[in-house]
Amino acid sequence: MPEEWYLAGLSLPLPAVKASAADHFLAMTTTTTTETETGFSSLGLHKKLLTALERLGYEEATPIQRQTIPLLIERRDLFGQAATGTGKTAAFALPILQRIIEMKKRPSVTALVLVPTRELAVQVAEAMHRYGSDAGVRVLPIYGGQPMGRQLRSLQEGVDVVVATPGRALDHIGRGSLRLDGIDIVVLDEADEMLDMGFAEDIDTILGSLPKERQTVLFSATMPPRIAALTKRHMRDPMKIEIPREASTGKMPRVRQVAYIVSRSHKVAALGRILDLEAPTAALIFCRTRTEVDELTRAMGARGYHAEALHGGMSQELRDKVMRRVRAGSAELLIATDVAARGLDIEQLTHVINFDVPSAPESYVHRIGRVGRAGKKGVAIMLVEPRESRTVRNIEQLTRQKIEMAQLPTIADLRERQFELTQASLREALLAGGLERFRVIVESLSDEFELIDVATAAVKLAHEAGGAEMDHEEIPAPGARGDRYGERDDRRGPRESGGREGFRSREPRPDGPRPSVSRADATRIYIGGAGRAAGIRPGDLVGAITNEAGISGQQIFGIEISDRFSLVEVASDVADSVIGALKQTSIRGKKITVRRDKERE
């Protein structure tokens, strides 16, 4: 079931109450809950949409859907703050589709939806296609990594809704292939994520180019000051809808949050021990870098887990194949970077594991929002190095929830759990029946051995066949060394601060000296044709690199913009991916040349 249709039992808030705090960043309207109707038929949706929803089997709207859909149909600007998994996609998709259905004459593009990643672009476009299938609404996702020619042809033939990443949207605007004069509504989905990825300037440029009378809708899981500033600049008397995480399903969230203190050199062993103990149906594991994703995927595969990797260094075709395997249940673990995993929805997910503590507390909120939906139980786990305890406290302050600090499972704990799993498997086999054909073996052995001994031997075989007894050494307390995987990662140097802010602190002056390389793993890339003369700004380069190459802003160490070219320093392990991705695109509609900076070679 996609994220936009998790059921909830709260009511439609009417009437609205005006909020007017002098120090509030905007005069917004906050709604309250008074009505008990929870179906879609009460929200003023078109018959064609209701028919599609009924065919899809959806009966009950979530709180964010009940509160926003009527307001969006009334063409109000709106800011919605709600966690991932509360149904935001349908909340803006259905009113957009309704508007297009009611139009007598459709312009080339009626609605523009901006999202942070290619995965979310595809997900939103697919959802809108399902809901609008009876109305013939044309929806096109455009993002980096997809052939430009295909996108150009589709836009030329005509579409109603464009779902785009900011960098690729700006590229099409510069080419003139995406016309903005007919756009009646623009939606920013996961706005805080887009700002964290360095798209602030791109978003300002796009919104500033749209018709003044359009409707603007913004959704965000968190409310950093940059969101407030963006809202002030580009929205008109917006309504504010806030859905606390506790209210998203009508119940308190059922997510157990646990942190384990472990030294980096033993994190792989600790993760394996925790997975063996937790036995997740499906787990999403977050790592900081692509290299870490690949190494951890191999390590978990060696422990017998079917693990899949997902990061920006993979082709879109390969990433799609990975997600099909995960959703089909053929993989237990999906190991991913933040950028690659944004916007993903996996119905059977039971665990979210932070192999690396997120540098920004807001990222933690996004990560764990993928479990505990619709009243289901979920588990959020962090592996915390001793030096990261302050970050955990910051996360607790943001979420206002206590994170349990737990001891790593011991060998005795693991053995006890393995015995429990074996016992549960045997109980299921006994209840399922169908044992008659094996009875002859027991009867033949009963002449020679006691029945209890025969049963015990059978349990032993079942226990060992289940992959038990993998660990034979206790994991040392923090400070111990010995795991080569962790030691190798420690030598990469200190971590960056989060997102766009971390990048900005390293940005050199355009007319100053070139940034000195303070890291052994930094590579400088020359981008010809992308200089001040072409109107290129740092945000253009950050947006192009993070979107096209699928890396995070933390892997960009510095930028220098000259009159006719730019120099960008990136982590060496992603340099080839960045060069390959940029060679396939343009920046602000300008053709560029990309190569390693010869001066550094």
Side-chain angles (χ1 to χ4, degrees), residues 4-7 37-46 49-50 53-54 57-62 65-66 69 90-91 94:
E4 58 269 20
W5 293 114
Y6 285 95
L7 303 182
E37 178 62 55
T38 60
F40 289 99
S41 59
S42 65
L43 303 181
L45 292 171
H46 193 279
L49 296 176
L50 294 175
L53 296 179
E54 183 179 359
Y58 305 134
E59 299 176 351
E60 194 173 13
T62 65
Q65 293 160 6
R66 291 195 301 276
I69 288 174
L94 293 172

mmCIF file of all heavy atoms in Angstrom, residues 4-7 37-46 49-50 53-54 57-62 65-66 69 90-91 94:
data_model
loop_
_atom_site.group_PDB
_atom_site.id
_atom_site.type_symbol
_atom_site.label_atom_id
_atom_site.label_comp_id
_atom_site.label_asym_id
_atom_site.label_seq_id
_atom_site.Cartn_x
_atom_site.Cartn_y
_atom_site.Cartn_z
ATOM 1 N N GLU A 4 0.445 7.245 0.621
ATOM 2 C CA GLU A 4 -0.609 8.240 0.670
ATOM 3 C C GLU A 4 -1.959 7.686 1.117
ATOM 4 O O GLU A 4 -2.908 8.419 1.252
ATOM 5 C CB GLU A 4 -0.764 8.910 -0.704
ATOM 6 C CG GLU A 4 -1.077 7.981 -1.847
ATOM 7 C CD GLU A 4 0.195 7.495 -2.511
ATOM 8 O OE1 GLU A 4 1.253 7.566 -1.893
ATOM 9 O OE2 GLU A 4 0.109 7.042 -3.648
ATOM 10 N N TRP A 5 -2.048 6.376 1.369
ATOM 11 C CA TRP A 5 -3.352 5.826 1.697
ATOM 12 C C TRP A 5 -3.359 5.056 3.008
ATOM 13 O O TRP A 5 -4.102 4.122 3.176
ATOM 14 C CB TRP A 5 -3.837 4.920 0.555
ATOM 15 C CG TRP A 5 -4.098 5.730 -0.655
ATOM 16 C CD1 TRP A 5 -3.444 5.685 -1.831
ATOM 17 C CD2 TRP A 5 -5.067 6.764 -0.794
ATOM 18 N NE1 TRP A 5 -3.912 6.604 -2.706
ATOM 19 C CE2 TRP A 5 -4.930 7.284 -2.095
ATOM 20 C CE3 TRP A 5 -6.025 7.313 0.039
ATOM 21 C CZ2 TRP A 5 -5.723 8.300 -2.574
ATOM 22 C CZ3 TRP A 5 -6.819 8.328 -0.441
ATOM 23 C CH2 TRP A 5 -6.663 8.814 -1.727
ATOM 24 N N TYR A 6 -2.533 5.407 3.947
ATOM 25 C CA TYR A 6 -2.637 4.780 5.246
ATOM 26 C C TYR A 6 -3.878 5.319 5.950
ATOM 27 O O TYR A 6 -4.120 6.525 5.992
ATOM 28 C CB TYR A 6 -1.375 5.044 6.070
ATOM 29 C CG TYR A 6 -0.247 4.213 5.586
ATOM 30 C CD1 TYR A 6 0.674 4.716 4.667
ATOM 31 C CD2 TYR A 6 -0.124 2.894 5.978
ATOM 32 C CE1 TYR A 6 1.699 3.930 4.192
ATOM 33 C CE2 TYR A 6 0.902 2.110 5.499
ATOM 34 C CZ TYR A 6 1.804 2.632 4.615
ATOM 35 O OH TYR A 6 2.820 1.857 4.140
ATOM 36 N N LEU A 7 -4.671 4.417 6.518
ATOM 37 C CA LEU A 7 -5.963 4.800 7.071
ATOM 38 C C LEU A 7 -5.796 5.545 8.390
ATOM 39 O O LEU A 7 -4.868 5.330 9.144
ATOM 40 C CB LEU A 7 -6.825 3.554 7.298
ATOM 41 C CG LEU A 7 -7.043 2.707 6.037
ATOM 42 C CD1 LEU A 7 -7.958 1.540 6.375
ATOM 43 C CD2 LEU A 7 -7.665 3.537 4.926
ATOM 44 N N GLU A 37 -16.899 12.759 9.850
ATOM 45 C CA GLU A 37 -16.883 12.106 8.546
ATOM 46 C C GLU A 37 -15.443 11.885 8.103
ATOM 47 O O GLU A 37 -14.628 12.785 8.153
ATOM 48 C CB GLU A 37 -17.612 12.981 7.528
ATOM 49 C CG GLU A 37 -17.612 12.399 6.119
ATOM 50 C CD GLU A 37 -18.313 11.071 6.041
ATOM 51 O OE1 GLU A 37 -19.477 11.003 6.445
ATOM 52 O OE2 GLU A 37 -17.677 10.096 5.594
ATOM 53 N N THR A 38 -15.103 10.660 7.714
ATOM 54 C CA THR A 38 -13.721 10.354 7.343
ATOM 55 C C THR A 38 -13.594 9.851 5.919
ATOM 56 O O THR A 38 -12.499 9.560 5.478
ATOM 57 C CB THR A 38 -13.140 9.289 8.302
ATOM 58 O OG1 THR A 38 -13.921 8.109 8.204
ATOM 59 C CG2 THR A 38 -13.108 9.799 9.725
ATOM 60 N N GLY A 39 -14.698 9.716 5.165
ATOM 61 C CA GLY A 39 -14.621 9.221 3.805
ATOM 62 C C GLY A 39 -14.248 10.314 2.824
ATOM 63 O O GLY A 39 -14.316 11.502 3.131
ATOM 64 N N PHE A 40 -13.898 9.926 1.604
ATOM 65 C CA PHE A 40 -13.514 10.886 0.578
ATOM 66 C C PHE A 40 -14.722 11.612 -0.012
ATOM 67 O O PHE A 40 -14.588 12.703 -0.556
ATOM 68 C CB PHE A 40 -12.743 10.176 -0.537
ATOM 69 C CG PHE A 40 -11.377 9.737 -0.117
ATOM 70 C CD1 PHE A 40 -11.135 8.430 0.264
ATOM 71 C CD2 PHE A 40 -10.324 10.638 -0.088
ATOM 72 C CE1 PHE A 40 -9.877 8.029 0.658
ATOM 73 C CE2 PHE A 40 -9.062 10.247 0.307
ATOM 74 C CZ PHE A 40 -8.831 8.932 0.687
ATOM 75 N N SER A 41 -15.898 11.022 0.084
ATOM 76 C CA SER A 41 -17.081 11.616 -0.546
ATOM 77 C C SER A 41 -17.448 12.960 0.063
ATOM 78 O O SER A 41 -18.138 13.763 -0.566
ATOM 79 C CB SER A 41 -18.268 10.653 -0.440
ATOM 80 O OG SER A 41 -18.551 10.369 0.922
ATOM 81 N N SER A 42 -17.000 13.225 1.292
ATOM 82 C CA SER A 42 -17.345 14.485 1.965
ATOM 83 C C SER A 42 -16.380 15.613 1.636
ATOM 84 O O SER A 42 -16.567 16.732 2.116
ATOM 85 C CB SER A 42 -17.350 14.270 3.484
ATOM 86 O OG SER A 42 -16.045 13.952 3.938
ATOM 87 N N LEU A 43 -15.356 15.340 0.828
ATOM 88 C CA LEU A 43 -14.302 16.332 0.609
ATOM 89 C C LEU A 43 -14.500 17.162 -0.650
ATOM 90 O O LEU A 43 -13.653 18.000 -0.976
ATOM 91 C CB LEU A 43 -12.933 15.624 0.548
ATOM 92 C CG LEU A 43 -12.574 14.789 1.772
ATOM 93 C CD1 LEU A 43 -11.190 14.173 1.607
ATOM 94 C CD2 LEU A 43 -12.646 15.621 3.039
ATOM 95 N N GLY A 44 -15.599 16.938 -1.385
ATOM 96 C CA GLY A 44 -15.881 17.728 -2.573
ATOM 97 C C GLY A 44 -15.133 17.290 -3.809
ATOM 98 O O GLY A 44 -14.954 18.072 -4.748
ATOM 99 N N LEU A 45 -14.730 16.022 -3.844
ATOM 100 C CA LEU A 45 -13.980 15.515 -4.989
ATOM 101 C C LEU A 45 -14.901 15.147 -6.145
ATOM 102 O O LEU A 45 -16.054 14.756 -5.935
ATOM 103 C CB LEU A 45 -13.154 14.294 -4.586
ATOM 104 C CG LEU A 45 -11.984 14.574 -3.629
ATOM 105 C CD1 LEU A 45 -11.384 13.266 -3.118
ATOM 106 C CD2 LEU A 45 -10.916 15.425 -4.317
ATOM 107 N N HIS A 46 -14.385 15.227 -7.360
ATOM 108 C CA HIS A 46 -15.134 14.912 -8.576
ATOM 109 C C HIS A 46 -15.494 13.421 -8.604
ATOM 110 O O HIS A 46 -14.776 12.574 -8.073
ATOM 111 C CB HIS A 46 -14.283 15.280 -9.796
ATOM 112 C CG HIS A 46 -15.049 15.303 -11.079
ATOM 113 N ND1 HIS A 46 -15.341 14.156 -11.798
ATOM 114 C CD2 HIS A 46 -15.564 16.351 -11.789
ATOM 115 C CE1 HIS A 46 -16.017 14.495 -12.884
ATOM 116 N NE2 HIS A 46 -16.169 15.814 -12.913
ATOM 117 N N LEU A 49 -12.833 10.964 -9.738
ATOM 118 C CA LEU A 49 -11.809 10.655 -8.746
ATOM 119 C C LEU A 49 -12.335 9.686 -7.692
ATOM 120 O O LEU A 49 -11.636 8.755 -7.272
ATOM 121 C CB LEU A 49 -11.305 11.944 -8.090
ATOM 122 C CG LEU A 49 -10.588 12.930 -9.011
ATOM 123 C CD1 LEU A 49 -10.229 14.196 -8.253
ATOM 124 C CD2 LEU A 49 -9.347 12.298 -9.622
ATOM 125 N N LEU A 50 -13.573 9.897 -7.258
ATOM 126 C CA LEU A 50 -14.169 8.991 -6.273
ATOM 127 C C LEU A 50 -14.297 7.578 -6.839
ATOM 128 O O LEU A 50 -14.081 6.590 -6.139
ATOM 129 C CB LEU A 50 -15.535 9.515 -5.833
ATOM 130 C CG LEU A 50 -15.532 10.836 -5.047
ATOM 131 C CD1 LEU A 50 -16.958 11.293 -4.783
ATOM 132 C CD2 LEU A 50 -14.761 10.681 -3.741
ATOM 133 N N LEU A 53 -10.850 6.012 -6.738
ATOM 134 C CA LEU A 53 -10.483 5.637 -5.368
ATOM 135 C C LEU A 53 -11.230 4.389 -4.923
ATOM 136 O O LEU A 53 -10.665 3.510 -4.265
ATOM 137 C CB LEU A 53 -10.783 6.797 -4.416
ATOM 138 C CG LEU A 53 -9.987 8.086 -4.645
ATOM 139 C CD1 LEU A 53 -10.398 9.157 -3.650
ATOM 140 C CD2 LEU A 53 -8.496 7.829 -4.564
ATOM 141 N N GLU A 54 -12.493 4.309 -5.281
ATOM 142 C CA GLU A 54 -13.277 3.130 -4.921
ATOM 143 C C GLU A 54 -12.731 1.889 -5.607
ATOM 144 O O GLU A 54 -12.636 0.820 -5.006
ATOM 145 C CB GLU A 54 -14.734 3.348 -5.302
ATOM 146 C CG GLU A 54 -15.646 2.196 -4.899
ATOM 147 C CD GLU A 54 -17.094 2.453 -5.265
ATOM 148 O OE1 GLU A 54 -17.383 3.543 -5.809
ATOM 149 O OE2 GLU A 54 -17.934 1.561 -5.032
ATOM 150 N N GLY A 57 -9.824 0.609 -3.904
ATOM 151 C CA GLY A 57 -10.117 0.035 -2.592
ATOM 152 C C GLY A 57 -9.860 0.969 -1.432
ATOM 153 O O GLY A 57 -9.795 0.535 -0.279
ATOM 154 N N TYR A 58 -9.777 2.283 -1.678
ATOM 155 C CA TYR A 58 -9.500 3.235 -0.611
ATOM 156 C C TYR A 58 -10.806 3.834 -0.117
ATOM 157 O O TYR A 58 -11.601 4.339 -0.900
ATOM 158 C CB TYR A 58 -8.580 4.343 -1.115
ATOM 159 C CG TYR A 58 -7.296 3.811 -1.709
ATOM 160 C CD1 TYR A 58 -6.812 4.285 -2.923
ATOM 161 C CD2 TYR A 58 -6.593 2.811 -1.059
ATOM 162 C CE1 TYR A 58 -5.647 3.794 -3.460
ATOM 163 C CE2 TYR A 58 -5.425 2.304 -1.600
ATOM 164 C CZ TYR A 58 -4.955 2.794 -2.802
ATOM 165 O OH TYR A 58 -3.803 2.295 -3.338
ATOM 166 N N GLU A 59 -11.021 3.795 1.200
ATOM 167 C CA GLU A 59 -12.289 4.229 1.757
ATOM 168 C C GLU A 59 -12.151 5.404 2.714
ATOM 169 O O GLU A 59 -13.057 6.213 2.822
ATOM 170 C CB GLU A 59 -12.956 3.060 2.504
ATOM 171 C CG GLU A 59 -13.263 1.864 1.604
ATOM 172 C CD GLU A 59 -13.828 0.692 2.370
ATOM 173 O OE1 GLU A 59 -13.825 0.756 3.620
ATOM 174 O OE2 GLU A 59 -14.265 -0.283 1.732
ATOM 175 N N GLU A 60 -11.043 5.478 3.445
ATOM 176 C CA GLU A 60 -10.932 6.444 4.533
ATOM 177 C C GLU A 60 -9.745 7.366 4.299
ATOM 178 O O GLU A 60 -8.646 6.918 3.971
ATOM 179 C CB GLU A 60 -10.752 5.683 5.850
ATOM 180 C CG GLU A 60 -10.955 6.531 7.077
ATOM 181 C CD GLU A 60 -10.931 5.678 8.337
ATOM 182 O OE1 GLU A 60 -10.515 4.515 8.258
ATOM 183 O OE2 GLU A 60 -11.315 6.189 9.386
ATOM 184 N N ALA A 61 -9.961 8.653 4.459
ATOM 185 C CA ALA A 61 -8.902 9.641 4.254
ATOM 186 C C ALA A 61 -8.099 9.834 5.535
ATOM 187 O O ALA A 61 -8.618 9.700 6.643
ATOM 188 C CB ALA A 61 -9.508 10.969 3.813
ATOM 189 N N THR A 62 -6.824 10.170 5.380
ATOM 190 C CA THR A 62 -5.977 10.452 6.535
ATOM 191 C C THR A 62 -6.212 11.880 6.999
ATOM 192 O O THR A 62 -6.781 12.700 6.275
ATOM 193 C CB THR A 62 -4.494 10.266 6.180
ATOM 194 O OG1 THR A 62 -4.137 11.246 5.206
ATOM 195 C CG2 THR A 62 -4.220 8.879 5.623
ATOM 196 N N GLN A 65 -5.093 14.577 4.576
ATOM 197 C CA GLN A 65 -5.952 14.620 3.388
ATOM 198 C C GLN A 65 -7.270 15.319 3.695
ATOM 199 O O GLN A 65 -7.739 16.150 2.908
ATOM 200 C CB GLN A 65 -6.196 13.197 2.874
ATOM 201 C CG GLN A 65 -4.949 12.529 2.318
ATOM 202 C CD GLN A 65 -5.066 11.021 2.260
ATOM 203 O OE1 GLN A 65 -6.117 10.448 2.531
ATOM 204 N NE2 GLN A 65 -3.963 10.367 1.923
ATOM 205 N N ARG A 66 -7.869 15.007 4.843
ATOM 206 C CA ARG A 66 -9.155 15.619 5.182
ATOM 207 C C ARG A 66 -9.019 17.116 5.423
ATOM 208 O O ARG A 66 -9.942 17.878 5.137
ATOM 209 C CB ARG A 66 -9.741 14.930 6.421
ATOM 210 C CG ARG A 66 -10.182 13.502 6.160
ATOM 211 C CD ARG A 66 -11.084 12.999 7.279
ATOM 212 N NE ARG A 66 -10.427 13.034 8.575
ATOM 213 C CZ ARG A 66 -9.633 12.084 9.049
ATOM 214 N NH1 ARG A 66 -9.360 11.029 8.305
ATOM 215 N NH2 ARG A 66 -9.104 12.169 10.246
ATOM 216 N N ILE A 69 -7.421 18.831 1.437
ATOM 217 C CA ILE A 69 -8.105 18.716 0.150
ATOM 218 C C ILE A 69 -9.173 19.787 -0.053
ATOM 219 O O ILE A 69 -9.189 20.458 -1.091
ATOM 220 C CB ILE A 69 -8.684 17.294 -0.037
ATOM 221 C CG1 ILE A 69 -7.530 16.302 -0.281
ATOM 222 C CG2 ILE A 69 -9.673 17.252 -1.199
ATOM 223 C CD1 ILE A 69 -7.971 14.845 -0.341
ATOM 224 N N ALA A 90 -1.473 12.164 -1.874
ATOM 225 C CA ALA A 90 -2.884 12.274 -2.268
ATOM 226 C C ALA A 90 -3.475 13.618 -1.856
ATOM 227 O O ALA A 90 -4.370 14.136 -2.517
ATOM 228 C CB ALA A 90 -3.687 11.135 -1.652
ATOM 229 N N ALA A 91 -2.958 14.192 -0.763
ATOM 230 C CA ALA A 91 -3.490 15.460 -0.269
ATOM 231 C C ALA A 91 -3.360 16.566 -1.317
ATOM 232 O O ALA A 91 -4.227 17.432 -1.420
ATOM 233 C CB ALA A 91 -2.776 15.855 1.019
ATOM 234 N N LEU A 94 -4.939 14.894 -5.527
ATOM 235 C CA LEU A 94 -6.371 14.858 -5.853
ATOM 236 C C LEU A 94 -6.922 16.235 -6.213
ATOM 237 O O LEU A 94 -7.648 16.371 -7.201
ATOM 238 C CB LEU A 94 -7.148 14.220 -4.694
ATOM 239 C CG LEU A 94 -6.850 12.723 -4.471
ATOM 240 C CD1 LEU A 94 -7.498 12.226 -3.187
ATOM 241 C CD2 LEU A 94 -7.318 11.897 -5.660
#
